[in-house]
Amino acid sequence: MKRMFLCWALSASAAAMAAPGAFAPQLSGFEGDPLLGAEGRLRVAPDRSSIIPLGPDRWYRSDWYPQTGNGKAQRSQWFDDEGRLLRGSTTGVRYGDRLEGSDVLWKVELRDEQGRYLGTGLADVQGKVHVAPIREAGDWAVIAPDRIAWQGRDGGARIFSLDGREVLRIDAQEIWVAGPFADRKVYVICGDYDVAPCRVQDEKGAVLLSAIFDEARPAGDDGWWLRQLDTWARVDAAGKRVDRALYQGVTLWPRYRSSVRFDRAAGRPLEVDRHANGLDSDTPQRGWLLADGRFVALPGPATATIMEYCPGRWLLRADGEVESIVDAQGQVVAQARSLGSDEHPQLPWRLRNAYAGVGAAILDCDGGVLFEQADVVDYRATDAGVLGTLADERSPRLWMGADLRPHRVPPGLRLREEYIAPPLLVLEDDQGKAHLYNTQQDKVVAASFGSVEELTAGHLIFLRDGRYGMMSADGREVLPPIYAQILPMSAGRIWARKYIGRDDDWKNEVTLFDGDQRVLLRRTFASGAMRRVSAHEGGGGVPEILDLSLGNMTIDGLSYELRQWLGRDGQVLASTIHCTTGQGGREDESAVLQGRGWRVDSDPTRPCQVPAAVMQAAQDDGIR
């Protein structure tokens, strides 16, 4: 894709105050992206390929470049925000997704200098390959804090340490059932058919245990719980039974496999019925098998349903019975009736709705009541707190944040669940009109409006009569609803765009306000729009830079597309001018990238000739 760019430098004093960071805008007219510093300087010139952000202060690009007398060769480069080349390689690295569970590794596709596919591997943001490429189809995953696995699509697996050393290889004809475990770097590997033996093997290749079983879990003192179909037995490190008891659990597939992921059930106690003598005639005792090798009997009736209540807490539920909360050791933590198991996504709370004469409540993980109010019949969790519905009402009208302080909004209004940013809440009346409520003042603080464009803890951007306005947290309309667009860049910088003029002479006017809504800059242009620098262009590192489109100017049949990037104080950091004939032919297009003391053209042999009127429009700060 062709891209273009034109840069206007700041004064020396303004540049000295520029915030750190960089961004890589995607531009028409050039066959690649530039890397620009937050002060508008060109850090890396566009050169045939996109530049992508990998993380703070890290950028990457890869492309083919002409090689004298030898066609084209591969090139990969890594840069920092200053545009310094940190590393270069003649092999191709294509970054995919970040490896889930890792803060430093990415899944990558690797190719050699001639572009031949080498396989998939793992690399960091510096381009260092931590795990060498594997050609077979498969996927990578973190399976322990210090272990990474590759699972082949057609079977087989390889286990690696974080430094890329292969510690175990499992053949395609075998099934990786489990491991490594939290306290043992060993793995359960089985043959790929029902009656094949399974083994427990360490990373040195030593087989610690081999027998006919389907699953194994550590059981303390180097022993194991072994399962065959639905029956568990306790054995020592050599696989010898340590007692006569058998433990019957749920029926599972013969080979229960965790594969290349954490086995999320591995840390839960195993629910079983204990047969003390290993006979069907034994009176079964309901309980759990623990990782330390013990069996613990669970309290309560045998018909009680076991539910996970909180991390490390389980609820034993039975109709008409006292319900118990037990910990991971099977010990009773608390007892109560009609406990709920609805989890709060962010806070350590459980929500109990009214049931059989028991009122609704917010509970802690030990079953203690944190909040209870007689006329509340239903609670529903949001990320920031809890909504409560009152008796004989259908919509929530009670709000509680993390401080559990209740806020009851006025009758006739209801909470909008999707618009909550404490201390600000958006309410709705029966006519569908919205209202702003501040929990710090415990009241509606603003006149009604139509809908919400953006809500944060400090401001609301709202729509009224087809135009956008902005309210502060206390409900003051700091910007009236006269704008086509409002973009708060920070607490102290707000951009707003509106239409001015009449009939066929409409124009765009953009205004930069400070935190007190004082005008810092105002510009007028024929058409266009504004936006924040996008995340894939590195916008997270330059949060106060505005991407402004100035639309097109046509002079003598030629079309000139203008686009600019403006800094914190409205100064022009960079501008693009893309020149075309309007006929759509690539051979008739060109673009220029220019700044103080330098200029780059998309085609140096055919530079874009920018008319004075277009240049003036690009340079005009429009301050008045």
Side-chain angles (χ1 to χ4, degrees):
M1 181 171 60
K2 301 183 75 176
R3 297 181 178 158
M4 60 109 191
F5 192 81
L6 170 64
C7 177
W8 297 100
L10 304 174
S11 66
S13 59
M17 298 174 60
F23 62 109
Q26 297 183 353
L27 311 164
S28 57
F30 278 88
E31 295 184 2
D33 302 334
L35 182 65
L36 301 176
E39 79 295 343
R41 290 176 53 200
L42 178 67
R43 302 298 192 186
V44 178
D47 190 10
R48 292 180 300 277
S49 63
S50 299
I51 296 180
I52 63 172
L54 295 178
D57 199 28
R58 290 297 178 269
W59 300 84
Y60 170 76
R61 74 177 178 186
S62 178
D63 65 0
W64 292 89
Y65 69 97
Q67 195 174 36
T68 304
N70 194 25
K72 293 184 177 181
Q74 192 85 22
R75 176 182 63 180
S76 298
Q77 295 176 318
W78 289 259
F79 302 93
D80 63 10
D81 283 350
E82 294 295 319
R84 290 184 290 254
L85 180 62
L86 305 176
R87 184 170 181 269
S89 173
T90 56
T91 57
V93 180
R94 179 182 178 184
Y95 282 84
D97 296 329
R98 189 184 295 273
L99 180 64
E100 184 178 357
S102 173
D103 295 330
V104 298
L105 295 179
W106 295 66
K107 300 176 185 179
V108 295
E109 178 184 293
L110 300 166
R111 296 181 180 271
D112 66 14
E113 296 179 3
Q114 287 72 45
R116 291 183 294 248
Y117 177 71
L118 298 176
T120 61
L122 299 173
D124 60 20
V125 297
Q126 303 276 34
K128 177 183 178 183
V129 177
H130 286 242
V131 180
I134 297 176
R135 291 187 62 87
E136 293 82 5
D139 199 11
W140 297 92
V142 175
I143 58 170
D146 58 351
R147 290 295 181 267
I148 296 167
W150 175 86
Q151 174 72 65
R153 186 175 301 169
D154 297 324
R158 294 165 68 176
I159 315 298
F160 298 88
S161 60
L162 294 184
D163 60 4
R165 178 174 53 90
E166 184 176 310
V167 298
L168 181 67
R169 183 176 296 205
I170 300 170
D171 294 336
Q173 291 74 32
E174 295 184 309
I175 298 177
W176 168 23
V177 176
F181 301 98
D183 57 347
R184 305 184 195 184
K185 288 292 190 297
V186 297
Y187 303 81
V188 181
I189 304 169
C190 297
D192 193 12
Y193 52 96
D194 290 356
V195 296
C198 294
R199 68 184 185 275
V200 177
Q201 177 182 320
D202 65 18
E203 294 180 347
K204 296 180 180 180
V207 176
L208 310 181
L209 174 66
S210 180
I212 299 294
F213 62 87
D214 296 319
E215 184 182 356
R217 295 194 184 191
D221 298 328
D222 295 327
W224 297 90
W225 294 111
L226 296 185
R227 178 181 65 82
Q228 189 171 7
L229 296 179
D230 64 349
T231 302
W232 294 84
R234 174 77 165 85
V235 301
D236 61 18
K240 182 180 179 181
R241 290 272 298 276
V242 300
D243 60 18
R244 299 174 62 185
L246 291 176
Y247 307 87
Q248 189 172 34
V250 297
T251 302
L252 300 172
W253 291 100
R255 302 302 190 225
Y256 174 79
R257 58 186 302 174
S258 62
S259 193
V260 283
R261 67 181 187 275
F262 283 116
D263 181 1
R264 302 192 183 279
R268 301 175 185 172
L270 294 165
E271 181 186 350
V272 296
D273 290 327
R274 179 177 184 265
H275 297 260
N277 297 303
L279 302 174
D280 290 340
S281 58
D282 294 334
T283 300
Q285 187 179 20
R286 189 185 191 192
W288 280 342
L289 303 181
L290 304 183
D292 61 7
R294 292 184 298 122
F295 167 82
V296 295
L298 292 175
T303 57
T305 302
I306 300 176
M307 302 178 63
E308 188 168 0
Y309 181 70
C310 270
R313 296 286 188 270
W314 281 264
L315 178 65
L316 306 184
R317 303 198 67 168
D319 292 339
E321 299 285 346
V322 172
E323 298 174 348
S324 298
I325 299 174
V326 299
D327 62 18
Q329 302 297 313
Q331 299 298 307
V332 176
V333 174
Q335 290 185 318
R337 285 183 177 271
S338 303
L339 292 178
S341 60
D342 294 337
E343 299 183 24
H344 192 286
Q346 302 295 334
L347 301 168
W349 297 346
R350 292 299 176 267
L351 309 180
R352 184 184 74 197
N353 294 326
Y355 174 77
V358 178
I362 300 175
L363 311 172
D364 63 19
C365 284
D366 291 335
V369 175
L370 297 174
F371 181 87
E372 189 173 18
Q373 192 166 296
D375 59 347
V376 181
V377 296
D378 175 75
Y379 290 103
R380 187 161 69 251
T382 71
D383 286 347
V386 171
L387 306 172
T389 301
L390 305 179
D392 300 323
E393 296 186 1
R394 301 178 61 182
S395 301
R397 199 157 59 84
L398 187 74
W399 164 258
M400 280 165 294
D403 60 359
L404 283 173
R405 179 187 169 195
H407 301 274
R408 186 179 298 209
V409 305
L413 299 175
R414 55 183 174 272
L415 290 156
R416 291 284 302 273
E417 184 173 351
E418 66 272 33
Y419 296 122
I420 293 174
L424 300 184
L425 312 173
V426 173
L427 314 180
E428 187 177 63
D429 60 26
D430 293 336
Q431 287 73 46
K433 294 181 179 179
H435 306 261
L436 184 64
Y437 187 93
N438 189 317
T439 60
Q440 292 177 340
Q441 301 180 35
D442 263 337
K443 66 178 183 180
V444 174
V445 294
S448 64
F449 52 91
S451 61
V452 177
E453 172 70 9
E454 178 179 290
L455 178 69
T456 72
H459 70 260
L460 165 73
I461 298 175
F462 64 95
L463 187 69
R464 185 188 292 143
D465 298 328
R467 290 290 182 265
Y468 292 105
M470 182 175 179
M471 293 182 191
S472 60
D474 60 8
R476 290 179 299 116
E477 292 190 6
V478 294
L479 294 179
I482 59 174
Y483 295 97
Q485 195 177 8
I486 298 176
L487 283 181
M489 310 300 281
S490 67
R493 292 295 185 269
I494 303 162
W495 284 96
R497 179 176 63 89
K498 68 178 180 180
Y499 299 114
I500 59 174
R502 55 185 300 174
D503 299 332
D504 295 329
D505 190 29
W506 289 100
K507 287 183 170 55
N508 276 276
E509 180 184 85
V510 294
T511 305
L512 175 63
F513 300 93
D514 66 10
D516 296 319
Q517 290 75 54
R518 291 177 300 212
V519 175
L520 301 179
L521 175 144
R522 183 172 283 128
R523 291 193 65 182
T524 302
F525 51 96
S527 64
M530 62 184 187
R531 69 181 180 96
R532 298 178 178 94
V533 177
S534 64
H536 65 268
E537 293 175 324
V542 288
E544 292 189 317
I545 290 181
L546 180 76
D547 183 350
L548 179 65
S549 172
L550 301 175
N552 291 286
M553 296 181 65
T554 301
I555 299 178
D556 297 332
L558 296 178
S559 176
Y560 301 90
E561 177 186 345
L562 281 70
R563 188 174 165 198
Q564 293 185 329
W565 285 262
L566 307 184
R568 186 176 193 273
D569 296 320
Q571 68 273 27
V572 179
L573 302 178
S575 301
T576 67
I577 300 178
H578 184 194
C579 314
T580 66
T581 63
Q583 298 176 1
R586 180 172 178 176
E587 65 278 2
D588 296 322
E589 298 183 10
S590 60
V592 63
L593 169 59
Q594 180 173 303
R596 179 180 296 179
W598 56 265
R599 170 173 173 148
V600 177
D601 289 281
S602 60
D603 184 354
T605 66
R606 192 168 47 85
C608 177
Q609 302 297 326
V610 182
V614 178
M615 191 68 74
Q616 179 63 39
Q619 296 183 51
D620 181 18
D621 288 336
I623 300 176
R624 62 175 184 267

